[in-house]
Amino acid sequence: MIDSQIADIQSTQQEIVDELAFFDDWADKYRYIIDLGRKLPVFPEVWKTEENKVKGCQSQVWLKVEDMPENRLKLHAISDAAIVSGLIAIILRIYDERTPQEILSTPPDFIKATGLDGHLSPTRSTGLAAMLRTIRAHAERRLAA
């Protein structure tokens, strides 16, 4: 069962790669990513706490994780920066409502496959890595519980 769930995550990552490949230049890709961020669900102000703040991001990023049935994690996140909100939308699309095992078993291959690794500023790359580390840490804690 876990193999098919991991294949589903990999399929989602490939969809993102294909979507970004549709655009000819990075200006259009950035606009698309920013547009994804504008569609994020509302993140309640009461969740914007130090506990939910992602450490290591230049911009303000908050991540709230809730337990769901079947040992799945519900991820909520937002940023005060447009491009970062778009990156959050991509991350949530891949990892939201997954089990800790699925999250930990699936590397974020979309970063290299889309070219984001070479087109994000160093601070944005560091922030993206911090968001992914935070999600993985939540998954690891859930497995250990």
Side-chain angles (χ1 to χ4, degrees), residues 46-58:
V46 297
W47 289 353
K48 292 182 179 178
T49 63
E50 272 306 305
E51 179 185 342
N52 292 333
K53 198 169 189 183
V54 176
K55 311 297 185 259
C57 293
Q58 180 182 15

Side-chain angles (χ1 to χ4, degrees), residues 115-130:
L116 281 169
D117 58 335
H119 285 89
L120 290 176
S121 68
T123 55
R124 296 288 183 238
S125 292
T126 300
L128 178 59

Side-chain angles (χ1 to χ4, degrees), residues 7-134:
D8 183 46
I9 292 178
Q10 292 167 337
S11 173
T12 301
Q13 288 192 73
Q14 187 58 51
E15 288 171 10
I16 292 164
V17 170
D18 295 344
E19 287 168 18
L20 288 174
F22 176 78
F23 300 100
D24 293 328
D25 64 45
W26 273 93
D28 290 336
K29 291 178 188 193
Y30 287 135
R31 278 190 285 279
Y32 178 72
I33 292 169
I34 289 168
D35 190 48
L36 292 174
R38 289 186 182 121
K39 297 173 184 171
L40 282 172
V42 172
F43 192 91
E45 286 295 319
V46 297
W47 289 353
K48 292 182 179 178
T49 63
E50 272 306 305
E51 179 185 342
N52 292 333
K53 198 169 189 183
V54 176
K55 311 297 185 259
C57 293
Q58 180 182 15
S59 55
Q60 302 279 342
V61 176
W62 293 271
L63 173 72
K64 170 97 170 134
V65 180
E66 296 179 308
D67 290 324
M68 291 181 63
E70 299 178 14
N71 197 32
R72 296 187 177 281
L73 302 178
K74 177 68 183 162
L75 308 175
H76 309 272
I78 195 72
S79 174
D80 63 350
I83 190 73
V84 176
S85 288
L87 295 172
I88 289 169
I90 291 171
I91 290 170
L92 293 183
R93 191 164 148 197
I94 296 167
Y95 294 108
D96 186 32
E97 299 187 11
R98 306 290 185 174
T99 66
Q101 295 89 343
E102 291 172 285
I103 292 168
L104 295 172
S105 299
T106 308
D109 295 335
F110 74 94
I111 298 170
K112 185 173 179 78
T114 58
L116 281 169
D117 58 335
H119 285 89
L120 290 176
S121 68
T123 55
R124 296 288 183 238
S125 292
T126 300
L128 178 59
M131 288 185 278
L132 292 166
R133 263 193 320 274
T134 301

